[in-house]
Amino acid sequence: MLTTRLPSRVEPYKLAARSERLEGLMALADFARLAEEVGPQSGDLRVSLDFAIDAQGRRVIRGRLEADLQLPCRRCLTPMAQHVESEFLLGMVTSDDLAAELPSTHEPVLVENEQLNLLTVVEDELILSLPQVVYHEEADCEVSRDQLTSGEDAAASREPAASPFDVLKHLKGKS
């Protein structure tokens, strides 16, 4: 069981030169942008990061993250448990020009002053790995299929729609 807390900042070039591996936990409560997106979270995110230099001389980070989140159901907005996992490959760059040179298999991560804000990088990857849509099973959801349509809309859909050309018929008849 992991108990090590990962630092919020690291020196990635040094870690890559030594082919280091960082493995540990990050508190989900520390991720402000995630909370804005899906609501406040509790618990920990399990993170594994392998820093290396690949065969082409690029400094890369191979990462894996895993968390149990409470995501809102898109029907009833009640939080529901959702397991989220992601594997990613990041290429360390110091400018946008270098980012453009990375192959499509790598996502660029900007390293400024030889420091990398690990909290931001991991939060970005977690947000990108969120499922597009989360729903309870229909039997478990607080909102039934009947509640998803309003009475007025349902009645209006049964009546045939008025033709937009009816106005022209009346005008033609008057002249």
Side-chain angles (χ1 to χ4, degrees):
M1 183 171 145
L2 289 177
T3 57
T4 307
R5 292 280 170 196
L6 291 180
S8 60
R9 290 194 157 284
V10 294
E11 294 181 1
Y13 294 128
K14 288 181 181 178
L15 294 171
R18 295 189 305 247
S19 297
E20 297 259 349
R21 177 187 188 105
L22 294 180
E23 196 168 13
L25 303 172
M26 297 180 100
L28 289 168
D30 293 344
F31 298 125
R33 289 180 295 136
L34 177 70
E36 287 175 19
E37 195 76 25
V38 296
Q41 301 293 317
S42 62
D44 291 317
L45 172 71
R46 292 167 295 288
V47 183
S48 173
L49 302 169
D50 291 309
F51 293 80
I53 299 175
D54 69 9
Q56 289 75 31
R58 289 185 289 261
R59 291 169 179 86
V60 297
I61 305 170
R62 280 192 192 282
R64 183 174 190 334
L65 57 86
E66 192 175 339
D68 293 313
L69 303 176
Q70 292 292 319
L71 302 179
C73 168
R74 295 298 180 194
R75 282 190 200 118
C76 65
L77 301 178
T78 303
M80 60 183 285
Q82 191 77 27
H83 184 76
V84 176
E85 292 182 38
S86 177
E87 291 188 14
F88 50 92
L89 178 61
L90 305 173
M92 293 182 241
V93 295
T94 54
S95 70
D96 289 337
D97 295 335
L98 293 173
E101 294 174 13
L102 284 175
S104 62
T105 55
H106 295 61
E107 288 189 45
V109 62
L110 189 62
V111 178
E112 297 172 322
N113 301 322
E114 297 196 17
Q115 294 281 312
L116 182 64
N117 186 335
L118 210 53
L119 190 71
T120 302
V121 171
V122 171
E123 184 177 25
D124 287 345
E125 291 303 322
L126 180 58
I127 290 171
L128 288 171
S129 65
L130 291 175
Q132 290 280 328
V133 182
V134 177
Y135 292 114
H136 285 111
E137 291 296 326
E138 206 168 313
D140 300 332
C141 196
E142 294 178 12
V143 175
S144 70
R145 180 184 301 260
D146 298 334
Q147 291 173 314
L148 293 176
T149 58
S150 69
E152 293 173 15
D153 291 342
S157 66
R158 287 187 214 117
E159 298 172 12
S163 171
F165 298 106
D166 285 344
V167 174
L168 293 176
K169 283 182 190 174
H170 295 307
L171 291 175
K172 187 176 178 184
K174 289 183 180 179
S175 18

